[in-house]
Amino acid sequence: MFSVMVMATAFLLAACGAPGVSIAPTLASSDQPTAGASATPALAGATFPPSQTPIDAGTYRWDGFERPVSLRLDAGWQLGHDNPAFFDLFRGSDFPAVSIARFTDVHTNRISRVAAVDAQQVEATFLGRSDMTMAGRAAIELGGLNGRQFDLTTLEARTPLFWGPAGIFQLDPDFVTRYRILDVPGGGVLVIGVHAHPDAFDAGLAIAEPVVASFMVEP
């Protein structure tokens, strides 16, 4: 299971169980998901349709971050969370999933967290934890930003990884995640994850990596 708990709205979107999993969002009765904040970005692209709505092939723009970002999608994806600080895309009701977030903190263990200063510090923090494994560490450049890439698997249920305006991000051992941690001008990180079940990780990457490769940040 991976989940993000949005503190402001008590919004939880969880994926659990074996491949072919269902996506079941729950929302406090008086609250609604918040779409990306309005902006006038230079990036081309359409606005994402509402959460849980099929997305047509095309280029889409997310305006919730300080600098808008865009992605090119083929048909078959749906928007999951749509908090301005965190959004994710699911391939129908199955994985892989692609998550993109502006997290502010990284967990040093299940309880404590520190500010996420840059990509190298996030990588070093996870390397120092005994409840996860990491492979494929490398320097990367993506969408005009520099950062670090690695594949991460947790060893315990609901392992806290990140925290930010959208809440806490937790991951279960039945997922492998390819993370790109990108340095944001002015400080902090932008986190891109590709999440898939271990027995379908390569197949999931084949579907999701073209989406990640299309990622662009407004100059």
Side-chain angles (χ1 to χ4, degrees):
M1 174 185 293
F2 81 88
S3 63
V4 176
M5 303 179 72
V6 182
M7 303 306 186
T9 62
F11 180 28
L12 172 64
L13 178 64
C16 48
V21 72
S22 63
I23 305 302
T26 60
L27 190 65
S29 59
S30 61
D31 295 325
Q32 295 296 326
T34 304
S38 61
T40 55
L43 287 178
T47 300
F48 281 101
S51 181
Q52 309 303 307
T53 301
I55 299 174
D56 293 331
T59 298
Y60 292 85
R61 188 185 67 247
W62 187 257
D63 299 339
F65 305 141
E66 303 96 316
R67 297 166 66 183
V69 303
S70 70
L71 297 165
R72 187 172 60 253
L73 305 176
D74 57 358
W77 293 93
Q78 291 186 4
L79 189 66
H81 294 86
D82 58 355
N83 181 275
F86 179 99
F87 72 99
D88 49 16
L89 300 161
F90 293 90
R91 189 73 177 193
S93 61
D94 298 334
F95 287 85
V98 177
S99 61
I100 303 181
R102 186 71 162 94
F103 293 122
T104 58
D105 292 15
V106 57
H107 271 264
T108 57
N109 53 46
R110 298 187 70 87
I111 303 299
S112 302
R113 63 179 194 261
V114 296
V117 177
D118 58 31
Q120 286 191 331
Q121 178 243 9
V122 170
E123 180 184 61
T125 299
F126 288 159
L127 278 171
R129 293 182 60 166
S130 61
D131 55 355
M132 58 187 64
T133 62
M134 188 183 297
R137 297 159 53 205
I140 59 163
E141 188 278 337
L142 179 63
L145 300 179
N146 295 313
R148 300 290 299 176
Q149 173 179 307
F150 49 83
D151 296 343
L152 186 141
T153 305
T154 61
L155 305 178
E156 301 175 8
R158 291 187 174 272
T159 299
L161 300 181
F162 296 102
W163 190 92
I168 186 171
F169 186 90
Q170 302 169 320
L171 193 65
D172 272 359
D174 55 346
F175 287 97
V176 180
T177 299
R178 174 157 295 176
Y179 272 121
R180 275 85 168 193
I181 314 296
L182 302 175
D183 293 326
V184 175
V189 297
L190 191 148
V191 178
I192 302 176
V194 174
H195 314 272
H197 295 288
D199 60 354
F201 188 57
D202 290 342
L205 288 178
I207 295 170
E209 287 292 278
V211 174
V212 176
S214 73
F215 174 82
M216 294 295 296
V217 181
E218 182 184 67

